[in-house]
Amino acid sequence: MGAGGYSIAPLLQLQPLLDKEHSVAYRISADLEYSLAERPTPNEYGLHVDHVIRQLQQAFDLREASPFDKVEWHGTERSLFDLFYWSCLEQPAATDEAEHRLRLLVFLLDCGSKPNRDILLGYLSSLRELCFLDSRLPDPDYCVTIYVPSSPVERRSIRNLLSQGHECTVPSEPMISSRHIIYVEDDYTEDTYHSIKLLTEAGWPFEWDDIRRCEDYEGSGKIKWLFINELVAQRKRLWRLAQSCLPAGQFPKLIAEDEKTDQITILDIHASEICARLVKRGIPIELALQLYVAKSDLHESVYHYTNFSAETLQYLYQAGFRGVTQLNRHGFVPLMTLDCALSIWWQAIQWRKSMERLAWLVSKGADPYQEVPGTSATVAHHLGAKMVDIFFFGWGITYFGLKFDPQEYYRDWKQPVLEYCKPFFLLPSVRDKCVCACSPGGCTTMSVVLRHIVYHLTTLEMKEPSFWFRELIQFLLWWTKGDTETGWEVIRFLSFDALGLKHSCCIEKRCFPDTYFILESREEEEVEEIHDEESLRIMELENLLDELRIKFDDLGQPVMKFLEGHWYTRMIDHLSQRDSYDEEHVTDLKRIGVKLEPEEFVVPDRVSLLIRPKIMPEDST
């Protein structure tokens, strides 16, 4: 070792990473956690802390442990401060207990134990504790997690502390958590409201989910308005920062102000782009204004955020937020963002709120007839397919071992559709520019929905698929109010599927997250190739459809009755007479002495053929 090494040697601390079994301090922290789980009184809490401090001091004196020890804990490296901090936090502490906890943490800091950079320090329920510890921390950039208390006593103490001049300093890269907040306004005192107000004034970067969670509690409208008004103020500050720091004309317009009426219009979709441009130029942005939109995030504006209710959207609209027709980076308008997570952990209330949200967007100018960029399909095409996808994804709930009642699930899915979705679900006049024999003239919203139903029934294991296929077809036919041409469209599509033809219409391009998609038309070369391959079978389909159309018109039956009766019988008869080999091939085989014996007919495994008569005829004897 050189002279330089010797000069710093007294300052070096080489501490091996200990496992839990070989750490005396870890055993002491585990004992403390166990003792606190018994819910001791404040006096008992203090005795436990005194005992732990004596144990640690003795272990340090005997060199059985060191304040600088690092312990492996659930795959991460923890200091002694971290261990005891979390041992204390496992159980909520009253005000008197927090004082004892503070003594233990200060003891560890004074001995030299420091929290790791990724430790979540801080409890807003003990702001005094946070301020007290802050003066002993070596690095001001330690992350701080803020938990807002639920106790009225704690809330009043926070308000008093902040009002008396205690600062709530937000570090440069904090991890702010509000999962313990209960957004309920207290009678008379409104402690929660005032605590939240002080937090936002101190620069707390709340999230959209905080606004959404106000919907979970009655009597939280005032807090919701507080968040929304602060969000407006944040967008104004971001806009002023962009105007002062970015070259004119090189950033999108976020806010327009009407000087006569003093009203503002906020095009929220541009906020994340402005933030990105400021960051690129090295311009510092206060934490509350920072908007990082991940590559997988579709929620680039308040209207793209799927968890807001129609009521909350109305609040935002009144506050000046606009842009219900604006596209995000993936080409999605807000009307196309519908969260599939609802279908896995099914909640009827959430599904209803989602449908009400879509209806609200349409009422404010969202256009289901709008063509989606990069496709020839409309928003209505995508939305119908998405709604059917969510219905079928709901069957995934059985994979989690949860109780699942299909009938109740279907009612929960269908009822909000009936109430809210008339303006945008299964619009009969909408067609794209696809070229496919399943729907000549372009895919309709009905043909896209049918294609998704067939896909899910082909790939998903579910009980009674025939029942659910018939149930959905019946519902779709009822929705179109018995329109004859729409009914014939269903017959044509099911005939196409029964014959096993290949689609040449639009395909799904999956986005981030992969539960979202865009319906893209195929390349012309691919369409022509499919048509060449399928030309004979398309001709077969058209001939069969000509025959079926005559019978359909003659019988004058409802579509479902026709499908269950004549269509099914005729389709089975046609498929049973189909020869998989052409006449020339049979002749060639005979020349070389090969004789083909007819095989027993087996009904093809086609989803469309699940529509069979409810009571199958018995075999004649």
Side-chain angles (χ1 to χ4, degrees):
M1 181 183 294
Y6 278 113
S7 67
I8 65 170
L11 303 177
L12 290 176
Q13 296 169 350
L14 301 178
Q15 297 297 130
L17 183 63
L18 304 174
D19 58 40
K20 294 183 290 187
E21 287 73 16
H22 295 89
S23 171
V24 173
Y26 177 82
R27 291 198 295 272
I28 296 173
S29 72
D31 290 341
L32 174 63
E33 185 175 330
Y34 178 80
S35 299
L36 298 184
E38 298 295 322
R39 297 297 182 91
T41 65
N43 287 337
E44 292 171 338
Y45 197 113
L47 293 175
H48 287 311
V49 168
D50 290 338
H51 181 60
V52 166
I53 291 175
R54 286 195 299 270
Q55 285 182 301
L56 287 173
Q57 188 64 65
Q58 183 179 8
F60 296 159
D61 293 341
L62 297 176
R63 301 201 175 189
E64 295 174 346
S66 165
F68 308 106
D69 280 348
K70 302 287 185 179
V71 180
E72 192 279 330
W73 188 76
H74 294 295
T76 61
E77 181 181 301
R78 297 294 187 187
S79 69
L80 296 195
F81 183 97
D82 303 340
L83 287 176
F84 284 92
Y85 186 80
W86 285 107
S87 295
C88 293
L89 293 189
E90 283 298 317
Q91 299 296 330
T95 304
D96 293 340
E97 295 167 350
E99 295 291 333
H100 297 303
R101 178 176 63 197
L102 182 59
R103 286 195 297 110
L104 173 58
L105 298 179
V106 169
F107 166 78
L108 288 166
L109 285 173
D110 289 343
C111 287
S113 181
K114 301 293 188 293
N116 292 338
R117 281 191 60 85
D118 63 345
I119 187 67
L120 306 180
L121 269 183
Y123 234 57
L124 197 60
S125 59
S126 180
L127 186 64
R128 178 169 174 269
E129 175 181 316
L130 180 58
C131 295
F132 200 83
L133 293 176
D134 186 59
S135 63
R136 288 171 162 76
L137 293 178
D139 188 337
D141 287 334
Y142 278 105
C143 295
V144 176
T145 294
I146 293 179
Y147 293 86
V148 173
S150 57
S151 162
V153 174
E154 291 174 341
R155 286 198 293 267
R156 279 195 292 273
S157 66
I158 295 166
R159 186 178 59 185
N160 292 336
L161 283 167
L162 287 171
S163 300
Q164 292 167 11
H166 291 273
E167 293 185 359
C168 177
T169 303
V170 181
S172 59
E173 295 181 0
M175 296 179 64
I176 304 296
S177 171
S178 57
R179 64 178 181 269
H180 288 183
I181 300 178
I182 299 178
Y183 292 122
V184 178
E185 294 154 16
D186 308 285
D187 295 336
Y188 310 115
T189 59
E190 294 186 338
D191 287 313
T192 304
Y193 170 82
H194 290 294
S195 296
I196 299 298
K197 187 172 186 295
L198 290 167
L199 269 177
T200 56
E201 290 172 353
W204 173 40
F206 62 89
E207 299 175 352
W208 288 347
D209 190 58
D210 291 293
I211 301 175
R212 193 276 310 164
R213 287 177 55 230
C214 289
E215 301 169 3
D216 296 342
Y217 311 102
E218 294 183 5
S220 59
K222 189 173 180 180
I223 295 176
K224 185 193 292 187
W225 263 119
L226 173 65
F227 279 134
I228 291 174
N229 287 332
E230 178 59 26
L231 188 61
V232 171
Q234 290 175 3
R235 294 296 184 266
K236 286 181 177 179
R237 296 202 301 275
L238 180 64
W239 179 236
R240 287 195 294 269
L241 182 64
Q243 288 177 306
S244 62
C245 298
L246 295 177
Q250 294 189 16
F251 54 94
K253 194 173 185 65
L254 176 62
I255 291 179
E257 299 187 56
D258 189 329
E259 296 180 357
K260 294 181 179 179
T261 62
D262 199 29
Q263 292 183 339
I264 66 168
T265 298
I266 304 172
L267 298 176
D268 198 47
I269 194 71
H270 300 314
S272 60
E273 182 181 349
I274 287 176
C275 274
R277 296 195 182 196
L278 288 168
V279 170
K280 188 175 181 180
R281 294 180 68 89
I283 298 168
I285 310 173
E286 66 174 277
L287 187 66
L289 304 187
Q290 293 178 17
L291 287 169
Y292 171 71
V293 180
K295 183 180 180 182
S296 62
D297 199 349
L298 296 171
H299 307 148
E300 294 176 45
S301 78
V302 292
Y303 293 126
H304 285 87
Y305 187 61
T306 57
N307 293 331
F308 282 150
S309 67
E311 180 186 44
T312 297
L313 293 180
Q314 183 63 32
Y315 277 39
L316 290 161
Y317 193 85
Q318 292 174 13
F321 286 89
R322 296 294 185 271
V324 297
T325 61
Q326 290 190 304
L327 301 166
N328 65 10
R329 71 179 74 182
H330 297 288
F332 285 79
V333 293
L335 196 57
M336 293 169 63
T337 54
L338 188 58
D339 201 342
C340 270
L342 297 176
S343 63
I344 298 175
W345 304 102
W346 181 263
Q347 295 182 22
I349 295 175
Q350 282 298 102
W351 175 246
R352 176 176 294 277
K353 285 173 62 176
S354 295
M355 295 300 97
E356 188 179 7
R357 167 183 171 267
L358 297 181
W360 183 91
L361 289 169
V362 172
S363 74
K364 295 301 180 184
D367 183 10
Y369 296 91
Q370 181 178 349
E371 192 170 291
V372 177
T375 79
S376 66
T378 66
V379 171
H381 284 97
H382 290 80
L383 198 51
K386 183 73 171 179
M387 290 167 64
V388 169
D389 285 354
I390 287 182
F391 171 79
F392 280 104
F393 288 158
W395 257 259
I397 200 170
T398 58
Y399 301 142
F400 294 92
L402 302 177
K403 184 179 179 181
F404 179 67
D405 182 345
Q407 291 288 351
E408 181 182 359
Y409 173 83
Y410 178 53
R411 287 193 299 271
D412 289 342
W413 177 86
K414 185 170 72 171
Q415 193 57 41
V417 174
L418 294 172
E419 288 185 38
Y420 298 110
C421 300
K422 185 177 180 180
F424 52 83
F425 183 56
L426 284 184
L427 303 180
S429 61
V430 179
R431 289 183 181 270
D432 65 11
K433 298 174 184 176
C434 288
V435 180
C436 184
C438 74
S439 181
C443 292
T444 64
T445 52
M446 175 67 84
S447 67
V448 170
V449 165
L450 289 171
R451 196 166 75 240
H452 277 245
I453 291 174
V454 168
Y455 167 77
H456 286 296
L457 285 171
T458 303
T459 58
L460 188 66
E461 293 184 10
M462 57 189 298
K463 294 181 179 179
E464 300 180 315
S466 177
F467 170 82
W468 289 109
F469 184 52
R470 294 156 56 92
E471 192 72 20
L472 285 173
I473 296 297
Q474 186 69 59
F475 173 67
L476 297 179
L477 291 169
W478 174 88
W479 183 272
T480 59
K481 301 187 183 301
D483 180 74
T484 303
E485 287 308 310
T486 303
W488 176 250
E489 184 183 338
V490 173
I491 295 171
R492 181 185 185 95
F493 185 94
L494 297 183
S495 302
F496 178 98
D497 177 74
L499 295 182
L501 272 70
K502 184 177 180 180
H503 287 280
S504 59
C505 45
C506 48
I507 55 177
E508 295 176 7
K509 178 185 177 183
R510 290 285 162 176
C511 304
F512 295 101
D514 62 5
T515 51
Y516 286 88
F517 57 85
I518 286 180
L519 298 170
E520 285 191 340
S521 297
R522 298 175 190 261
E523 297 291 338
E524 289 186 17
E525 292 181 1
E526 184 182 3
V527 172
E528 291 176 2
E529 183 179 335
I530 293 173
H531 285 182
D532 289 342
E533 293 175 356
E534 299 282 276
S535 58
L536 293 178
R537 295 207 293 173
I538 291 175
M539 189 181 302
E540 176 190 7
L541 170 67
E542 296 299 341
N543 291 335
L544 183 59
L545 286 172
D546 288 343
E547 175 194 323
L548 288 170
R549 184 66 197 240
I550 293 172
K551 196 67 176 180
F552 178 62
D553 292 340
D554 287 346
L555 292 175
Q557 295 176 334
V559 175
M560 202 66 188
K561 186 174 182 180
F562 179 78
L563 287 169
E564 293 172 344
H566 179 80
W567 179 86
Y568 182 84
T569 303
R570 181 67 185 95
M571 195 59 64
I572 294 297
D573 180 62
H574 178 83
L575 292 171
S576 66
Q577 297 178 26
R578 239 179 170 190
D579 195 340
S580 55
Y581 302 106
D582 59 32
E583 185 176 349
E584 182 180 352
H585 182 69
V586 173
T587 302
D588 290 340
L589 289 175
K590 285 181 178 180
R591 286 175 184 165
I592 60 175
V594 177
K595 183 179 180 181
L596 296 176
E597 295 291 340
E599 296 180 353
E600 182 180 354
F601 172 69
V602 177
V603 177
D605 186 17
R606 305 285 184 203
V607 170
S608 54
L609 297 177
L610 292 173
I611 292 193
R612 52 181 176 267
K614 293 182 180 179
I615 301 176
M616 296 293 292
E618 295 181 0
D619 294 335
S620 57
T621 56

